[in-house]
């Protein structure tokens, strides 16, 4: 399934870059097979230095836990994973995407904290709530919702990167947007296959 063993490789079925993450049980695995693949760009994520930047914190909180945010994406993809018991391939793929979104959530929370903010689950005006999730139930509707969500996330990251004067945050947002482009491609290709 992967062109490279360990580290960064390519899923030969989806042609998506992947990082191989070994589970704790992998040490007991005689074939040393990867337990899970995670869809992400192989480039490193920039770190955000400590400081005080309330304007940038406000932008980050929207990406962290606003209507179009990492938290919303995670909950939507976990819901879809749970619902997709009859489509193991999609269930596994959407779970892999959710894991990448979890790492984004963690990095954005760290950045908010580093810049003097409080990483509560809200955009600064209202707390996050489950009504923000798209609860589509068919695969086609799920894919269309995910394409829309990923497109909006990319737009938000690009807009917020352009709005901040913090070069470290700008680099982080641009880097996260690269992962979101891979997720958009993943969902778009699945929808194209479904439509063909």
């Amino acid at each position: 399934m992967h062109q490279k063993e360990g580290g960064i490789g390519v899923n030969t079925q989806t042609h998506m870059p992947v990082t191989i993450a070994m589970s704790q049980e992998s040490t007991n695995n005689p074939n040393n097979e990867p337990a899970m693949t995670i869809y992400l760009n192989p480039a490193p994520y920039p770190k955000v230095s400590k400081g005080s930047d309330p304007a940038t914190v406000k932008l980050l909180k929207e990406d962290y836990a606003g209507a179009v945010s990492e938290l919303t994406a995670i909950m939507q993809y976990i819901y879809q994973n749970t619902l997709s018991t009859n489509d193991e391939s999609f269930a596994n793929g959407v779970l892999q995407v959710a894991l990448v979104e979890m790492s984004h959530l963690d990095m954005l929370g760290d950045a908010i904290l580093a810049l003097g903010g409080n990483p509560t689950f809200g955009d600064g005006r209202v707390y996050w709530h489950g009504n923000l999730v798209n609860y589509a139930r068919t695969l086609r509707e799920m894919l269309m919702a995910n394409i829309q969500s990923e497109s909006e996330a990319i737009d938000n990251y690009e807009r917020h990167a352009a709005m901040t004067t913090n070069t470290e945050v700008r680099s982080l947002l641009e880097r996260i947007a690269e992962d979101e482009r891979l997720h958009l491609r993943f969902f778009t290709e699945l929808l194209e296959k479904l439509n063909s």
Side-chain angles (χ1 to χ4, degrees):
M1 182 169 178
H2 304 286
Q3 292 178 340
K4 185 175 178 184
E5 294 181 16
I8 303 299
V10 175
N11 181 313
T12 55
Q13 292 178 342
T14 63
H15 306 290
M16 299 284 292
V18 296
T19 296
I20 309 305
M22 305 303 281
S23 72
Q24 292 187 358
E25 290 81 27
S26 65
T27 54
N28 300 328
N29 184 344
N31 297 327
N32 202 27
E33 293 176 0
M36 189 176 302
T37 57
I38 304 174
Y39 295 106
L40 73 155
N41 183 298
Y45 294 94
K47 298 279 185 192
V48 175
S49 303
K50 290 192 175 193
S52 178
D53 190 346
T56 298
V57 165
K58 184 177 177 184
L59 298 175
L60 290 174
K61 286 186 72 76
E62 288 180 32
D63 298 322
Y64 180 70
V68 177
S69 67
E70 296 298 339
L71 185 58
T72 302
I74 292 163
M75 295 299 110
Q76 184 163 306
Y77 299 158
I78 295 295
Y79 170 76
Q80 292 176 359
N81 168 268
T82 303
L83 204 65
S84 299
T85 56
N86 61 342
D87 189 338
E88 186 177 336
S89 177
F90 174 72
N92 289 336
V94 78
L95 179 61
Q96 292 171 27
V97 173
L99 291 171
V100 176
E101 306 295 18
M102 288 178 202
S103 70
H104 294 168
L105 184 77
D106 183 52
M107 286 182 273
L108 292 172
D110 289 345
I112 290 166
L113 198 59
L115 297 176
N118 184 2
T120 56
F121 292 127
D123 64 5
R125 297 181 304 273
V126 295
Y127 285 105
W128 188 91
H129 53 86
N131 289 342
L132 298 173
V133 172
N134 183 307
Y135 293 105
R137 295 187 54 88
T138 70
L139 180 57
R140 184 181 311 282
E141 290 171 339
M142 288 179 196
L143 291 170
M144 290 177 9
N146 295 353
I147 289 167
Q148 179 179 347
S149 297
E150 293 292 345
S151 297
E152 290 174 357
I154 293 165
D155 290 345
N156 283 353
Y157 280 124
E158 290 174 345
R159 184 169 43 83
H160 292 165
M163 291 172 69
T164 184
T165 57
N166 186 313
T167 57
E168 293 174 338
V169 169
R170 182 180 303 123
S171 294
L172 176 62
L173 297 179
E174 289 169 348
R175 170 61 190 84
I176 291 174
E178 291 302 314
D179 289 341
E180 306 301 359
R181 286 184 186 91
L182 293 178
H183 303 165
L184 176 60
R185 180 175 141 196
F186 173 68
F187 293 128
T188 301
E189 288 179 358
L190 284 179
L191 183 60
E192 288 170 357
K193 286 180 186 174
L194 194 64
N195 289 335
S196 61

